[in-house]
Amino acid sequence: MNRLTSFYIFLALGGLLISCNDDVSVGANLIGDQPIEADFNDQLEITAKTVEPFSQFVGYANRNNFNRGPYLLGSLDDPNFGKTISTVFVSPRIDNEDLPDFNISVIDSVVLVLPYDTLGLYGDNSATHHISLYRLQIDIDLNSIDTLYTDNCLDIESSPLAEIDIVPNLSDSIIIYNPIGDTTLSVVPQLRFTLDKNLWQNVLMDTLNTLGTQALLNQVKGYAITSVPDNNNSMYGINLQSTGISGIEVFYTDTISSVYTFDLSSTSFSNESRSETSIKHNCFTSDYGGSEVERTLNDSLAQFNYVQGMEGFNVEYDLSSVMDIDDDIVINYAVLDIYLLEDSNTPINELRSTYIDTSGTEKSIEDLGNSPYYDGSLMDIEENGMSLKRYEIVVTNQVINIRRGTIESPYIYLRPTNRNLPRHAILYSPNDPNYPAKLKLITSKP
């Protein structure tokens, strides 16, 4: 334990006393202008282990303006984290009541349009992806499907409707043929699949009788898109955000050539008396067999801990040693310092801290809601002449409330802020001899 000389020096060291808790304010009122001896303590024993996440990750929810993106395609294979395969599911919806009269129209072509998401590629960006389009095997009942979690993969037909091989390029526009006017167009990078126009001709003529998304889905069902990269280590995103241009384009001719687009992205409808939605969903299938994360799962003696997005893992930290601090000691500041092992070009940029309350609900730690100095972002630092990366998790209020007994559980959990991204982090555990994770406290004794 390193002794600081006075309360005033402690204030000068970056304003570390700024934490909203009664311990600090009451102590200050009692002592007035008298100096307080402040201590720095990084010797409390903490333990950490890699654990499975407590809460399921929602891939689709039938609620207003639900957007989860990016919707990932492909697979990632990593010796530390195992293999994860991602599939995208979509279904069309009727987003207005201005359908053309397809009874007097001829369907020229029907095209499924899936623009890329500019959030980028993950893994090998030079990999060739074998893309397959399948029809769903199940009937979608919009009244019964409320939530789909990312481990819910929908049943698909055995044979694909279409297959293509591509190297995704998320930056360059592409040139497509436009049957309207027999022209070409420059459009954002996207996947395009030609659908069966005869099927759609029959579907649209029948749908005119009921004019509803459910009637459309009863015949069309929906689609699944899969991708197999040639090296099993590449993922990229599909843009199904409500502001995007994904859809099913129906090119038709009555008196003139026109196009009508069925929406694939929205989950709200302008007419409040009707509940219309499109299914847009990501499913992850993971195999952790033989990976490091499988070997060290729930092991509090491991040298490294593993955090992963998608359906991946969290890290549990046991802070119960704070109960060993004498009752007359005031905790002014508490932070978890956790170093990152740099083995990935797509690390997690920000970690979120949670705990489990007495009802079994996962909640953000007290500091995330109350402290303006909470920061779970990844930082570049210099230490002993070394360039390192470190997360600093402020846990002042959480620790104070653990000591008071207002929070019963001494455990906190770190997970990615954006679980939908295929990022991961390998963290040095408290057991590492060189860069151990530490709980650092600044305390005072009035």
Side-chain angles (χ1 to χ4, degrees):
M1 181 177 294
N2 299 321
R3 182 64 56 118
L4 301 180
T5 58
S6 70
F7 178 72
Y8 301 107
I9 292 179
F10 167 62
L11 280 178
L13 293 175
L16 296 180
L17 268 178
I18 303 176
S19 60
C20 302
N21 60 77
D22 293 339
D23 292 38
V24 175
S25 60
V26 172
N29 290 335
L30 289 175
I31 64 167
D33 294 331
Q34 300 178 25
I36 301 174
E37 288 189 341
D39 287 325
F40 171 73
N41 183 348
D42 66 354
Q43 298 303 307
L44 287 178
E45 181 179 353
I46 61 171
T47 60
K49 59 184 179 181
T50 304
V51 296
E52 295 181 349
F54 282 96
S55 58
Q56 291 179 287
F57 186 38
V58 176
Y60 161 78
N62 188 358
R63 61 174 182 260
N64 232 17
N65 299 321
F66 177 84
N67 283 312
R68 177 59 71 193
Y71 292 82
L72 300 168
L73 275 177
S75 65
L76 293 175
D77 196 356
D78 184 281
N80 294 302
F81 291 89
K83 184 175 182 178
T84 298
I85 300 172
S86 182
T87 303
V88 175
F89 298 89
V90 296
S91 70
R93 69 186 282 271
I94 299 174
D95 59 356
N96 61 60
E97 298 187 3
D98 298 324
L99 276 171
D101 187 353
F102 289 108
N103 279 302
I104 60 172
S105 304
V106 175
I107 305 298
D108 299 313
S109 63
V110 182
V111 179
L112 173 65
V113 178
L114 300 170
Y116 297 143
D117 195 302
T118 55
L119 278 180
L121 291 163
Y122 300 90
D124 183 1
N125 59 13
S126 65
T128 298
H129 287 251
H130 181 74
I131 314 292
S132 300
L133 176 70
Y134 293 87
R135 192 181 185 211
L136 295 187
Q137 196 173 45
I138 64 168
D139 293 325
I140 294 176
D141 183 353
L142 296 179
N143 293 319
S144 63
I145 296 181
D146 181 67
T147 302
L148 293 172
Y149 296 99
T150 52
D151 60 350
N152 298 143
C153 285
L154 306 178
D155 292 334
I156 62 176
E157 293 182 348
S158 57
S159 299
L161 299 175
E163 298 175 281
I164 57 174
D165 291 313
I166 62 167
V167 178
N169 187 330
L170 308 191
S171 58
D172 290 341
S173 60
I174 63 173
I175 304 299
I176 65 169
Y177 172 71
N178 181 16
I180 300 177
D182 192 23
T183 61
T184 58
L185 291 174
S186 177
V187 297
V188 298
Q190 58 192 240
L191 288 175
R192 297 178 68 87
F193 292 99
T194 300
L195 303 179
D196 185 348
K197 68 178 183 179
N198 294 322
L199 168 66
W200 276 82
Q201 178 85 60
N202 296 330
V203 166
L204 294 176
M205 291 176 62
D206 181 69
T207 302
L208 287 173
N209 297 323
T210 53
L211 197 63
T213 296
Q214 187 62 63
L216 178 66
L217 295 183
N218 289 343
Q219 299 186 62
V220 173
K221 298 183 185 293
Y223 300 98
I225 305 96
T226 67
S227 176
V228 181
D230 57 5
N231 60 2
N232 289 318
N233 196 35
S234 180
M235 274 189 187
Y236 66 97
I238 295 297
N239 184 359
L240 296 176
Q241 305 289 355
S242 58
T243 56
I245 61 169
S246 60
I248 295 178
E249 297 178 345
V250 179
F251 296 89
Y252 65 97
T253 301
D254 45 27
T255 57
I256 61 173
S257 295
S258 303
V259 60
Y260 179 86
T261 301
F262 287 91
D263 181 27
L264 289 176
S265 60
S266 299
T267 51
S268 62
F269 192 73
S270 58
N271 186 340
E272 294 181 359
S273 66
R274 297 172 58 192
S275 176
E276 306 284 356
T277 186
S278 62
I279 302 293
K280 48 178 183 175
H281 175 52
N282 234 160
C283 179
F284 301 122
T285 304
S286 298
D287 180 4
Y288 302 107
S291 67
E292 283 298 302
V293 73
E294 181 192 49
R295 186 182 66 82
T296 60
L297 189 65
N298 296 314
D299 182 4
S300 61
L301 300 178
Q303 182 180 3
F304 301 106
N305 300 128
Y306 300 86
V307 184
Q308 186 184 27
M310 303 179 292
E311 286 289 306
F313 297 88
N314 300 345
V315 179
E316 174 192 274
Y317 291 86
D318 183 353
L319 307 184
S320 57
S321 60
V322 300
M323 302 301 294
D324 299 331
I325 300 174
D326 292 342
D327 292 340
D328 59 348
I329 297 296
V330 175
I331 294 178
N332 304 118
Y333 187 77
V335 62
L336 266 175
D337 274 0
I338 305 165
Y339 293 89
L340 173 73
L341 175 66
E342 293 189 70
D343 80 319
S344 171
N345 59 4
T346 56
I348 298 170
N349 293 325
E350 188 174 82
L351 294 173
R352 187 176 185 87
S353 304
T354 65
Y355 73 103
I356 308 300
D357 68 10
T358 54
S359 68
T361 303
E362 186 176 19
K363 300 175 64 175
S364 297
I365 66 168
E366 295 290 290
D367 298 80
L368 181 57
N370 301 328
S371 171
Y373 288 90
Y374 174 86
D375 186 7
S377 299
L378 184 61
M379 301 184 302
D380 293 302
I381 63 169
E382 293 288 333
E383 191 172 289
N384 298 324
M386 298 286 292
S387 296
L388 302 171
K389 291 184 181 292
R390 186 175 69 195
Y391 299 96
E392 291 184 359
I393 314 296
V394 178
V395 292
T396 309
N397 293 306
Q398 190 76 12
V399 165
I400 288 172
N401 285 312
I402 290 172
R403 290 187 71 210
R404 289 174 176 169
T406 55
I407 293 178
E408 294 187 4
S409 173
Y411 303 103
I412 68 169
Y413 301 87
L414 296 188
R415 63 171 177 81
T417 299
N418 295 318
R419 284 180 63 184
N420 53 312
L421 298 179
R423 295 180 180 270
H424 60 245
I426 301 177
L427 309 177
Y428 287 97
S429 80
N431 305 309
D432 185 79
N434 298 313
Y435 305 106
K438 288 189 175 184
L439 175 64
K440 298 182 178 180
L441 305 177
I442 292 181
T443 64
S444 58
K445 187 174 183 180

